Amino acid sequence: MAAASLIVVALICSVGLGNAQGGEKVYSDNITRILDRLLDGYDNRLRPGSGGGITEVKTDIFVTSFGPVSDVEMEYTMDMFFRQMWVDERLKFEGPIEILRLNNRMVDKIWTPDTFFRNSKKSISHNMTTPNKLFRIMQNGTVLYTMRLTISAECPMRLMDFPMDGHACPLRFGSYAYTNSEIIFTWRKGLTGSVECPKESMSLLQYDLVGQILSSEIMKSNTGHYSVQVVHFLLQRKLGYYLIQTYIPLIMVVVLSQVSFWINKESVPARTVAGVTTVLTMTTLSISARQSLPKVAYATAMDWFIAVCFAFVASALVEFAAVNYFATLQANRLKKERARQDRLEVLATGSDDDDTISMDSSLQEGLKRRNHSVSCSEPGDIPSVPIFLQQGSAFPQIPQLAGTSPIDLYARILFPLTFALFNLGYWYIYLTKETMESATDMDLEN
């Protein structure tokens, strides 16, 4: 009895397996017949509705990665899934399934839009391990065609507000051969949801992708009017890198140049070295800051800041030159007055014959006093200073010239105050200014 039961179960299983295999074969045969019937008499050289209505191609974009953005080349790179959908009445079918999910081999056998990216510099269609294309046909003849692309497109930039600037980088695409009387492009999900940019997919180091603006326009050319889809990616530059690498070092160099106002004016080598060193440092910083920018013919916001900082540093050096000049004039005037007083003393206290001898000796003694004295004009009041201290630049050769110059006193207040007011106005203007480029302005320029 048990053996008979096992035989019955085996027969049932074999019948069921045969039915399943037969069903799969029938299903695949139906799909094959549907495809053969679709391609029978199909001419992929003619667009849908050729000679009649306009073919509408609905598009949307899913951005998988955005960046990098090159300021020197004025271009950006993005990786995306580009989707197109249109209706081809010749591909309607009836069968057990609603959607035919096909691979890339079917793409070459039917008509597809001749879409190209107008402002693209370089485009790559990924083919590893097989061509990254998705192709589907619905029962009503609707076709969905998706491909993975990497686009390098130009992005015109106006860098007047650099590095507090923002840019609207466009991406334009449309038909290469069909005019708007034959093919028209539309956004499949409207102007708000047709371009998706997930935050986790953005890999920008110097920019923030703050949004995108979608639009449609008609491009006029010698061969006709063409339907063009446009998306502007709004990029706002990050300021942190430039604060650390340029702005803070520039401010520190200006502050160091103003330290020389507190150094004794007799320390000529120290103040000269400080002034020249800060000027050279400022020149080096300005050159390095320009290396990451294209050679534009106008001044950027950073150029204005560098120019003003350079003016402050150069002014500090010129200020010391003025201090030294007026100190030299005063020294020459004091020397002349002292020489005249010495001559008057000699004439008043000597005889006629001794006057000449006394005058010569007095003049020589006065010259020695002026060259080696470091205290008062009357000899003997203060003990003499060692010769190695007399030769130091910190000791004035004429005691009356000791002390702080009035020019230094004014510079200690005016220079820091002016530089602080400049920084306050500079940062207030550029941080409160709307620096994002308008998509309309970019379109007018192009």
Side-chain angles (χ1 to χ4, degrees):
M1 187 68 182
S5 300
L6 290 175
I7 294 173
V8 171
V9 171
L11 289 174
I12 294 173
C13 291
S14 62
V15 171
L17 182 59
N19 291 335
Q21 292 178 349
E24 291 180 0
K25 186 176 185 304
V26 171
Y27 181 82
S28 61
D29 291 341
N30 289 336
I31 299 300
T32 302
R33 285 195 297 268
I34 291 173
L35 293 176
D36 292 339
R37 187 168 59 251
L38 288 178
L39 297 177
D40 185 20
Y42 186 90
D43 191 352
N44 60 1
R45 296 173 298 179
L46 301 177
R47 66 175 180 85
S50 179
I54 299 176
T55 302
E56 180 183 7
V57 180
K58 299 179 181 179
T59 59
D60 66 282
I61 296 173
F62 184 87
V63 180
T64 56
S65 66
F66 196 100
V69 179
S70 174
D71 296 328
V72 177
E73 301 295 335
M74 288 193 178
E75 67 179 20
Y76 67 96
T77 303
M78 61 182 296
D79 188 68
M80 65 178 179
F81 293 118
F82 182 62
R83 304 188 183 106
Q84 301 177 89
M85 182 178 289
W86 66 94
V87 177
D88 193 341
E89 298 288 343
R90 298 171 294 178
L91 297 178
K92 287 184 178 181
F93 67 92
E94 294 181 359
I97 58 174
E98 295 182 355
I99 300 176
L100 290 175
R101 293 174 174 85
L102 307 171
N103 59 18
N104 60 286
R105 295 182 180 180
M106 188 67 178
V107 175
D108 297 332
K109 298 179 180 180
I110 70 168
W111 179 90
T112 54
D114 58 340
T115 308
F116 82 110
F117 295 88
R118 290 183 170 270
N119 63 325
S120 171
K121 291 185 175 181
K122 183 180 180 181
S123 301
I124 300 175
S125 179
H126 293 264
N127 296 315
M128 189 61 64
T129 57
T130 59
N132 298 171
K133 297 179 181 180
L134 181 148
F135 192 75
R136 293 177 181 177
I137 302 176
M138 289 72 167
Q139 284 188 348
N140 61 353
T142 301
V143 180
L144 174 62
Y145 181 35
T146 301
M147 64 183 72
R148 183 188 173 198
L149 302 173
T150 297
I151 306 295
S152 295
E154 62 179 357
C155 179
M157 298 180 180
R158 292 183 298 180
L159 301 172
M160 277 82 74
D161 298 324
F162 174 86
M164 282 77 69
D165 53 341
H167 304 286
C169 294
L171 180 66
R172 294 181 172 87
F173 60 90
S175 174
Y176 187 84
Y178 297 100
T179 63
N180 62 340
S181 61
E182 297 172 307
I183 290 182
I184 186 170
F185 286 84
T186 59
W187 293 110
R188 189 163 74 94
K189 300 179 182 179
L191 297 179
T192 56
S194 294
V195 176
E196 300 180 43
C197 299
K199 293 183 179 180
E200 60 273 10
S201 301
M202 302 303 104
S203 58
L204 294 173
L205 298 178
Q206 297 188 24
Y207 288 91
D208 286 322
L209 182 60
V210 298
Q212 54 272 349
I213 300 176
L214 282 64
S215 62
S216 300
E217 61 184 32
I218 301 298
M219 183 76 66
K220 298 180 180 179
S221 68
N222 295 333
T223 56
H225 297 178
Y226 297 87
S227 175
V228 178
Q229 299 295 90
V230 184
V231 52
H232 288 89
F233 296 97
L234 305 181
L235 302 175
Q236 184 66 48
R237 193 185 301 273
K238 297 178 182 178
L239 186 59
Y241 171 81
Y242 300 96
L243 280 176
I244 297 173
Q245 295 294 325
T246 304
Y247 281 100
I248 293 178
L250 287 175
I251 294 174
M252 295 302 297
V253 170
V254 174
V255 172
L256 289 176
S257 70
Q258 297 176 3
V259 172
S260 63
F261 301 150
W262 300 85
I263 301 176
N264 192 0
K265 66 177 182 296
E266 286 79 22
S267 301
V268 177
R271 294 190 66 166
T272 303
V273 169
V276 173
T277 302
T278 52
V279 169
L280 295 177
T281 304
M282 187 68 63
T283 304
T284 303
L285 287 174
S286 63
I287 294 174
S288 63
R290 264 294 197 175
Q291 290 180 350
S292 59
L293 287 178
K295 296 177 176 60
V296 294
Y298 48 83
T300 65
M302 181 180 287
D303 291 334
W304 289 116
F305 191 87
I306 293 174
V308 173
C309 290
F310 194 92
F312 272 98
V313 171
S315 299
L317 187 59
V318 172
E319 185 269 350
F320 173 64
V323 170
N324 191 54
Y325 174 74
F326 287 111
T328 303
L329 292 180
Q330 186 178 3
N332 292 334
R333 185 169 58 253
L334 291 175
K335 288 180 181 180
K336 291 179 181 179
E337 291 178 358
R338 183 175 298 175
R340 185 168 56 254
Q341 291 177 0
D342 292 342
R343 285 195 295 268
L344 292 176
E345 291 176 0
V346 170
L347 292 174
T349 58
S351 61
D352 294 338
D353 295 336
D354 295 336
D355 285 343
T356 304
I357 300 174
S358 177
M359 183 179 297
D360 293 339
S361 61
S362 297
L363 288 174
Q364 293 177 359
E365 183 179 356
L367 181 60
K368 292 179 180 179
R369 273 204 312 271
R370 287 192 296 273
N371 291 335
H372 300 288
S373 177
V374 294
S375 56
C376 59
S377 60
E378 294 295 331
D381 290 345
I382 295 179
S384 60
V385 180
I387 187 65
F388 68 91
L389 289 180
Q390 297 177 17
Q391 294 175 351
S393 61
F395 289 89
Q397 296 181 355
I398 301 176
Q400 288 84 348
L401 298 179
T404 304
S405 171
I407 300 178
D408 281 340
L409 292 177
Y410 285 112
R412 292 174 184 178
I413 299 175
L414 292 179
F415 272 69
L417 181 61
T418 306
F419 188 64
L421 291 176
F422 163 72
N423 274 276
L424 182 62
Y426 179 89
W427 293 110
Y428 176 78
I429 290 173
Y430 282 104
L431 293 181
T432 58
K433 179 182 178 182
E434 179 58 43
T435 57
M436 178 63 70
E437 293 178 351
S438 173
T440 303
D441 295 339
M442 297 303 297
D443 291 338
L444 292 176
E445 288 185 1
N446 296 328

